Amino acid sequence: MARNTLSRSLHDLGLSAWFGGTLANAVALNAAAAEAGSASDTGRVANAGWDRWTPVNAAAIGAHLIGSIGQLQANRRRVANQEGVAGMSTLKTALTAAALGVTAYSRALGKVVSDAGGTPSRSGTKPSKRAKAEVAAAQAKLDQLQWVIPALTGALVVVSSYAGEQQRPSEVARGLAQR
């Protein structure tokens, strides 16, 4: 088998950053922002953290997508000929599309919150009673979605591990024989 170190690295590092960054921000940043002092400071701290993460996350997602395309290109014969690989590739594509959709929607909601400035908040995603209705609604949706992105990207990590197992010589031989 040919080596695809660059595309595999882009795929894995991009996915790792996408998963890890969103999980860390959901677990740590949103909760830690509540310790900023006032409700307005909480909103400013959470916005600053997420706004700083956004370009890194975009780069991570881009790297993952470029790596995914490279991996699919390099393994196109296996996808076509090895039993189970096409199904796994379809699942990875569906999970990636779902994660991209939720990420884009979350960013749009985050922009609503960020553009509002130091919106009073109890934490990064928990609005205070003084928050404007539109911003409070965006924060409430973000409170739920902050866990969906790590769940989807975590599922991608698992499926990617399974894809790696499918490349073992014994699995390739068995998958080709079943076709």
Side-chain angles (χ1 to χ4, degrees), residues 52-175:
R52 287 179 182 165
W53 170 244
T54 296
V56 175
N57 196 38
I61 292 167
H64 172 68
L65 294 175
I66 291 167
S68 295
I69 292 166
Q71 287 298 290
L72 191 55
Q73 190 88 20
N75 290 291
R76 63 187 175 276
R77 287 191 185 108
R78 284 186 50 252
V79 171
N81 298 318
Q82 183 181 340
E83 183 72 28
V85 177
M88 176 278 304
S89 294
T90 301
L91 177 59
K92 275 184 72 173
T93 301
L95 285 170
T96 301
L100 285 169
V102 174
T103 299
Y105 182 54
S106 293
R107 182 58 198 144
L109 293 169
K111 190 102 174 83
V112 169
V113 175
S114 182
D115 287 350
T119 297
S121 301
R122 293 181 294 151
S123 77
T125 58
K126 302 262 193 240
S128 92
K129 293 178 181 168
R130 296 182 297 141
K132 293 178 185 172
E134 176 188 18
V135 177
Q139 284 179 303
K141 289 176 187 168
L142 284 168
D143 190 52
Q144 297 168 341
L145 293 177
Q146 70 180 332
W147 303 109
V148 175
I149 298 166
L152 289 169
T153 53
L156 271 169
V157 170
V158 171
V159 174
S160 294
S161 295
Y162 178 71
E165 293 296 313
Q166 286 181 317
Q167 290 182 326
R168 292 178 179 267
S170 60
E171 292 294 314
V172 172
R174 190 173 72 201

Side-chain angles (χ1 to χ4, degrees), residues 22-45:
T22 53
L23 181 62
N25 283 335
V27 169
L29 173 64
N30 288 338
E35 297 177 21
S38 71
S40 291
D41 288 341
T42 294
R44 272 193 288 281
V45 168

